[in-house]
Amino acid sequence: MAEAKLPTNARFLTFEGGEGVGKSTQVKRLLARLTRLGIAAVRTREPGGTPKAEAIRSFILQGRSEEWGPGAEATLFAAARLDHVNQLIAPNLASGRWVICDRFHDSTRAYQGLTGGVDDTLIEALEDLALNGHKPDLTIILDMDPEEAFKRVAQRALEDGIPAVADRFEKEDLDWHRSLRKGFLEIAERNPDRCVVISADQPESELAKAIWSAVTQKFPELIREATA
Ligand code: T5A
């Protein structure tokens, strides 16, 4: 197999949206597509991506920080992100690999900020600290009715034969998840140059095509590099 090329202008892409909208599925598909083109790329996720950040992930998703409130949870997500950026995201970008991340700072803004009520000043201070200048070049926001998305999550649990146990945020009620959806749309409106909203309520392969179209529209050089 030919060795992947290391383009000089490696890009940082993030996927955002509510629970079960298909982010992880599309992150994997996009990585496979870039790899087929010979573009060096890695995928990662938040919270997580490094051993320290994965430890914080387990702590939060088990609900152990819930009683501390959304401000403390936002701070924990930022601590995980700081390690993730410094240990994984920045070094990969510096060595020319594209990075595709399943959730990033917009999740803190939508979950803990716009929906959880943490004020903008704290959210922005945490972003400055954790991102260390590494803002995504493109953010794909997958949008769909949370009630439909939860049917997918339930179906996945059924297929995996695992009893559906809701984690820290899945267990919030439907109105909370509807407000979360609005939060992501508000983030997209505030950041039109960086964010693209795509309806997730379409078959997996159609959605992958829509995402690819958004990626190549944003980075036309991708096709030139791949075919050079
Ligand atoms: N969080 C995270 C914060 O509160 N603040 C933060 O700062 C950060 C970073 C993370 C939790 O932490 C919160 C948000 C979350 O609550 P998680 O497990 O990573 O937890 O949660 P999700 O990101 O929601 O992960 P999910 O796996 O539940 O959702 P995905 O990745 O959106 O969905 P995916 O791809 O796993 O697909 C779900 C199911 O649908 C099917 C798949 O096969 C799968 O079974 N599917 C489709 N079915 C029909 N049509 C399609 N187009 C489909 N695409 C996928």
Side-chain angles (χ1 to χ4, degrees):
M1 202 167 82
E3 202 169 308
K5 290 173 209 160
L6 294 176
T8 45
N9 52 347
R11 303 295 188 167
F12 179 27
L13 275 65
T14 56
F15 278 72
E16 298 279 5
E19 312 281 323
V21 295
K23 298 177 297 301
S24 314
T25 306
Q26 294 300 329
V27 163
K28 285 181 206 148
R29 289 186 76 124
L30 181 58
L31 179 77
R33 186 143 195 186
L34 289 171
T35 306
R36 280 200 302 277
L37 284 175
I39 302 291
V42 294
R43 76 176 160 93
T44 185
R45 69 169 182 183
E46 287 217 346
T50 62
K52 285 177 192 150
E54 289 290 334
I56 296 176
R57 175 190 177 92
S58 306
F59 186 80
I60 300 173
L61 296 192
Q62 285 165 12
R64 292 167 70 189
S65 52
E66 186 175 357
E67 62 177 335
W68 302 347
E73 287 184 321
T75 309
L76 283 173
F77 280 115
R81 184 161 304 128
L82 181 64
D83 190 61
H84 189 206
V85 167
N86 288 341
Q87 301 302 320
L88 190 145
I89 295 173
N92 273 292
L93 290 170
S95 63
R97 287 182 194 83
W98 287 49
V99 176
I100 311 168
C101 191
D102 190 342
R103 295 195 181 281
F104 195 58
H105 72 306
D106 292 317
S107 282
T108 306
R109 200 167 265 279
Y111 279 75
Q112 284 68 49
L114 297 167
T115 312
V118 176
D119 70 66
D120 260 13
T121 318
L122 177 59
I123 296 287
E124 274 160 25
L126 292 172
E127 273 179 16
D128 281 350
L129 173 82
L131 268 59
N132 201 10
H134 290 88
K135 213 166 215 188
D137 297 300
L138 172 65
T139 296
I140 307 275
I141 297 182
L142 298 185
D143 175 62
M144 75 184 278
D145 177 358
E147 200 169 357
E148 293 305 312
F150 274 114
K151 287 184 192 160
R152 290 183 180 176
V153 174
Q155 179 63 25
R156 176 178 59 191
L158 203 67
E159 283 164 12
D160 293 348
I162 301 166
V165 180
D167 70 23
R168 162 72 186 90
F169 300 101
E170 284 169 358
K171 70 179 176 51
E172 298 289 352
D173 67 19
L174 208 48
D175 281 346
W176 193 92
H177 285 283
R178 289 196 178 111
S179 141
L180 181 70
R181 180 187 190 187
K182 279 197 202 136
F184 278 116
L185 295 176
E186 192 178 322
I187 290 169
E189 250 178 56
R190 283 195 214 164
N191 298 276
D193 293 341
R194 173 174 63 86
C195 297
V196 176
V197 178
I198 300 180
S199 167
D201 198 2
Q202 50 180 322
E204 208 182 295
S205 58
E206 293 303 310
L207 180 52
K209 275 188 212 160
I211 291 168
W212 185 246
S213 161
V215 171
T216 51
Q217 202 172 328
K218 178 82 180 178
F219 310 119
E221 76 276 11
L222 176 62
I223 300 296
R224 288 197 296 274
E225 272 173 11
T227 50

